[in-house]
Amino acid sequence: SYQTSETELILRAGLRKIRIPYIEITAIRPTTDSRSALAMSLDRVLIEYQSGEQLIAPQDQNAFFDDLQKRAPHLTKQGQDLVISLST
């Protein structure tokens, strides 16, 4: 599961909690990657950030992308992906 706060994306899996500051996110992409992840579904989102990457499966991908685009204004929509803007 995930939660958004004012400054970071918080991912949870059992007792594990990963905090990713929005400013550290470099890309968010839809994927069907079958690697082991926090996500049970194959309809996943890959979150790339400065110190790694995580796969999650938001219930509503469109709402997730819309929310993150607002919270991480350094990312711009490119096709289905959110990536660092070239003007940043």
Side-chain angles (χ1 to χ4, degrees):
S1 70
Y2 76 91
Q3 177 182 351
T4 55
S5 76
E6 189 80 20
T7 59
E8 63 191 3
L9 176 64
I10 303 162
L11 308 179
R12 289 195 176 98
L15 298 176
R16 188 174 171 204
K17 186 186 287 188
I18 300 167
R19 295 177 177 275
I20 305 170
Y22 298 123
I23 195 68
E24 292 185 13
I25 297 174
T26 57
I28 302 171
R29 310 172 192 283
T31 183
T32 55
D33 192 324
S34 61
R35 290 181 286 170
S36 178
L38 300 177
M40 299 299 286
S41 167
L42 288 179
D43 190 19
R44 299 173 174 181
V45 172
L46 175 63
I47 302 164
E48 299 172 14
Y49 56 103
Q50 290 174 2
S51 58
E53 59 182 35
Q54 293 294 326
L55 289 167
I56 65 169
Q59 195 166 16
D60 183 339
Q61 266 195 27
N62 290 331
F64 177 77
F65 273 82
D66 289 346
D67 186 30
L68 267 285
Q69 190 169 19
K70 291 174 190 161
R71 295 177 185 275
H74 66 286
L75 300 177
T76 58
K77 194 139 177 97
Q78 211 172 63
Q80 292 184 315
D81 303 344
L82 287 177
V83 296
I84 290 182
S85 171
L86 296 177
S87 62
T88 302

